[in-house]
């Protein structure tokens, strides 16, 4: 019963956030300076490499991920925010100080590279102050400005991230 109530509360909060209007501004990738990146904890090593690729292009990147338990492999830096169940409230959503920290990073672009559809990361994505949001397949595709549709068998983070980067770099707005 408690789990059912939590799920209803989570879904209601996410839907309420989705209903809020936001200003959209498509940008060419060369004009993006700061990127907020959400990813699955299982893809930590690949996300670290992808972050390095983005930083080599002159972008400032800050990453957030969620896992039930802490991993000894994680290297804590100011650019990586690792969320565990200790960072969640009763409804299993990120606590207010986590959301405030996420909102406090003035990202030009939100990259939601999570392929698992975790509610915690989706909740953060809906709080993003970014006016340009990109994602992989998403149940909430209408809340993103660019969604890269992936085939069901495409689960390799690195390939998917490189494909997304390719399209973003070649997208021309006129």
């Amino acid at each position: 019963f408690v789990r059912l109530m939590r799920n209803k509360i989570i879904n209601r909060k996410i839907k309420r956030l989705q209903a809020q209007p936001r200003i959209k501004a498509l940008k060419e990738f060369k004009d993006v300076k700061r990127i907020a990146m959400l990813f699955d904890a299982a893809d930590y090593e690949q996300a670290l490499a992808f972050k390095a690729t983005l930083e080599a292009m002159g972008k400032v990147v800050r990453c957030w991920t969620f896992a039930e338990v802490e991993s000894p492999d994680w290297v804590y830096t100011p650019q990586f925010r690792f969320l565990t169940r200790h960072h969640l409230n009763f409804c299993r959503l990120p606590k207010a100080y986590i959301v405030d920290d996420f909102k406090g990073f003035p990202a030009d672009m939100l990259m939601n590279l999570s392929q698992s559809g975790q509610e915690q990361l989706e909740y953060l994505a809906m709080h993003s102050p970014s006016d340009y949001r990109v994602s992989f397949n998403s149940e909430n595709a209408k809340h993103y400005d660019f969604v890269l549709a992936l085939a069901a068998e495409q689960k390799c983070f690195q390939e998917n991230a490189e494909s997304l980067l390719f399209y973003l770099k070649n997208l021309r707005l006129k």
Side-chain angles (χ1 to χ4, degrees):
F1 176 74
V2 172
R3 186 173 293 168
L4 178 65
M5 289 305 296
R6 283 181 185 166
N7 288 341
K8 285 187 178 194
I9 291 169
I10 290 170
N11 290 334
R12 188 177 58 200
K13 285 188 175 212
I14 290 176
K15 285 183 181 179
R16 190 177 305 142
L17 286 170
Q18 291 170 346
Q20 293 177 354
R22 71 179 186 89
I23 299 169
K24 296 181 179 184
L26 296 177
K27 297 179 180 182
E28 291 191 17
F29 190 71
K30 65 180 180 173
D31 298 330
V32 172
K33 294 182 179 23
R34 293 173 306 276
I35 299 173
M37 187 169 84
L38 304 173
F39 66 95
D40 296 325
D43 299 323
Y44 170 68
E45 295 295 330
Q46 293 90 358
L48 192 61
F50 187 62
K51 178 182 175 293
T53 301
L54 293 172
E55 287 174 337
M57 295 177 189
K59 312 297 181 195
V60 175
V61 183
R62 188 173 291 172
C63 304
W64 284 265
T65 190
F66 171 77
E68 286 292 326
V69 293
E70 208 169 316
S71 170
D73 298 334
W74 292 348
V75 177
Y76 287 86
T77 66
Q79 293 80 27
F80 268 94
R81 303 290 200 261
F82 299 99
L83 308 179
T84 62
R85 65 176 178 253
H86 304 293
H87 297 100
L88 305 180
N89 61 21
F90 171 75
C91 297
R92 296 194 45 80
L93 293 173
K95 292 180 180 177
Y97 75 93
I98 299 291
V99 175
D100 291 342
D101 178 50
F102 183 74
K103 287 179 175 179
F105 180 64
D108 300 319
M109 175 185 284
L110 168 72
M111 280 188 169
N112 187 351
L113 305 180
S114 172
Q115 299 177 62
S116 65
Q118 291 179 333
E119 291 126 350
Q120 294 82 6
L121 296 179
E122 195 63 37
Y123 186 73
L124 283 178
M126 292 301 114
H127 276 92
S128 175
S130 304
D131 50 7
Y132 188 35
R133 298 177 180 178
V134 300
S135 178
F136 292 145
N137 291 352
S138 176
E139 295 172 3
N140 302 313
K142 66 181 180 180
H143 301 288
Y144 291 94
D145 304 310
F146 182 85
V147 177
L148 181 62
L150 303 173
E153 65 275 357
Q154 280 184 289
K155 291 293 183 184
C156 176
F157 176 90
Q158 193 65 30
E159 290 176 18
N160 295 341
E162 292 297 330
S163 295
L164 181 64
L165 186 59
F166 171 80
Y167 286 112
L168 289 174
K169 286 170 41 178
N170 290 307
L171 183 66
R172 302 286 180 249
L173 305 171
K174 293 185 182 190

